[in-house]
Amino acid sequence: MCVHSGEAIVLIRGARWAAAAMTAVCLGLLQGAGAPNGGLPLAGPLPPGTAGAAVPGRVGTWNICNPCGSGNDFGRATEIATYAPQVIALQEACVRDVQRIRRYLEEVYGLVYRVEYGPVLRNWNRCGGLPWRPGGYGQAILSAAPMTDPVSAEYPDGGSEDRGYLAVTTLVDGRPVRVFNTHLAERRQAGVRAGQIEVLAAEVARHDRAIVLGDFNAVPPAPELAPMWALAPDTDPGCRPSTADADADADADAWHCTTTTDWDSKFDYVFLRGITPGTHHVRPSPYSDHHLLYTDLDRG
């Protein structure tokens, strides 16, 4: 049977929603059966080899998808606990959701993270809350080490929705580094993204050591990404700029990039400036239309 790309995405999302709904039902049963820790869900079994603490030198990024249904915060926490990065950047994040995720990570899985928020909207439809007190929506950074000098900035032009970046200084594998988390304008707004990347690249260029994480809503050969490629490579070893692939509509496969979304595009990046990458990992998840992406830095 021939399935068009739009129908395929609907089927994928339907499967993801079904998985998330089943998780919510299971959590409700667990809580109804007398869950410990003040009503927290019981810790589910994590895959063999999962770290019991944050992994030194591991950094990640994940657009956790809003809206992708409700009641998924425990599942999202389980995904993060499975890979346990020292630092993880979250996009499309509601403050209340991140608060719950952080609580589950600590009280269910024993992973203690600090958090900084970079909300760009206060939106009832996105994040709930009373109409006169809507929840904050935007970026968040979770770090196992303390964070200093936080900066949360909105881009002058967000496109169809306000967008921005969050930056902090923290320790990764025992060394200080400036960490950026961003979410750029939607995929058909290349001109807006170009202006946003100019702002972001100017800030990144001020630091000799920087990690730039986020959902850039653009495939690797997109012209607007050129300032980032000039500053720092992405950690995907097969994903490098090439003059032969200058067409913004070129498929990511032409660059041998690992795709990071349900619709087989690479939109999510870990750019490293002054830091050597080690291994690169992309992990699909039933809780988002973006995959969780993480990198183990070269500890040598």
Side-chain angles (χ1 to χ4, degrees):
M1 180 178 67
C2 180
V3 178
H4 295 290
S5 60
E7 294 171 335
I9 292 172
V10 170
L11 291 173
I12 290 169
R13 290 179 175 171
R16 185 177 64 248
W17 276 65
M22 182 61 70
T23 299
V25 170
C26 292
L27 294 183
L29 292 174
L30 287 172
Q31 291 174 332
N37 301 327
L40 288 171
L42 296 171
L46 295 176
T50 299
V55 179
R58 178 172 290 178
V59 297
T61 182
W62 192 19
N63 181 321
I64 58 176
C65 187
N66 184 312
C68 272
S70 59
N72 295 341
D73 293 331
F74 180 66
R76 290 166 173 157
T78 301
E79 294 283 275
I80 295 170
T82 298
Y83 310 112
Q86 271 196 298
V87 172
I88 185 163
L90 303 178
Q91 302 89 44
E92 297 195 15
C94 294
V95 170
R96 294 185 184 98
D97 289 344
V98 176
Q99 288 171 339
R100 285 190 291 268
I101 290 169
R102 184 187 179 203
R103 182 186 179 207
Y104 292 146
L105 285 166
E106 180 172 357
E107 298 189 27
V108 177
Y109 291 110
L111 293 168
V112 179
Y113 285 98
R114 286 81 170 175
V115 62
E116 289 289 346
Y117 299 100
V120 293
L121 291 173
R122 294 198 173 275
N123 189 295
W124 185 87
N125 290 327
R126 287 281 195 181
C127 296
L130 299 174
W132 53 88
R133 193 182 176 189
Y137 167 84
Q139 289 74 244
I141 295 176
L142 300 179
S143 174
M147 292 176 278
T148 60
D149 305 317
V151 172
S152 178
E154 290 190 35
Y155 294 119
D157 183 359
S160 56
E161 180 179 81
D162 292 350
R163 296 291 164 92
Y165 72 85
L166 172 65
V168 301
T169 298
T170 189
L171 296 178
V172 176
D173 202 18
R175 298 188 62 187
V177 63
R178 192 67 171 168
V179 177
F180 293 82
N181 178 16
T182 192
H183 186 197
L184 300 188
E186 293 180 355
R187 70 181 77 179
R188 299 189 183 277
Q189 300 174 7
V192 176
R193 287 195 301 275
Q196 293 171 348
I197 289 177
E198 286 183 6
V199 173
L200 178 64
E203 291 301 313
V204 174
R206 298 174 55 232
H207 303 275
D208 293 331
R209 284 172 48 83
I211 300 172
V212 187
L213 308 163
D215 173 6
F216 284 70
N217 267 322
V219 295
E224 65 267 26
L225 289 186
M228 281 308 309
W229 287 117
L231 284 173
D234 180 63
T235 58
D236 186 338
C239 202
R240 295 290 180 269
S242 168
T243 54
D245 295 315
D247 183 0
D249 295 325
D251 191 276
D253 288 341
W255 279 36
H256 308 290
C257 301
T258 303
T259 60
T260 65
T261 66
D262 284 355
W263 54 93
D264 294 331
S265 292
K266 177 175 171 64
F267 278 6
D268 306 272
Y269 297 82
V270 176
F271 290 108
L272 299 182
R273 177 172 169 82
I275 302 169
T276 304
T279 56
H280 172 83
H281 309 267
V282 178
R283 299 290 185 255
S285 168
Y287 303 105
S288 177
D289 53 357
H290 287 249
H291 308 336
L292 192 154
L293 167 64
Y294 71 90
T295 293
D296 290 311
L297 305 181
D298 184 347
R299 303 188 66 194

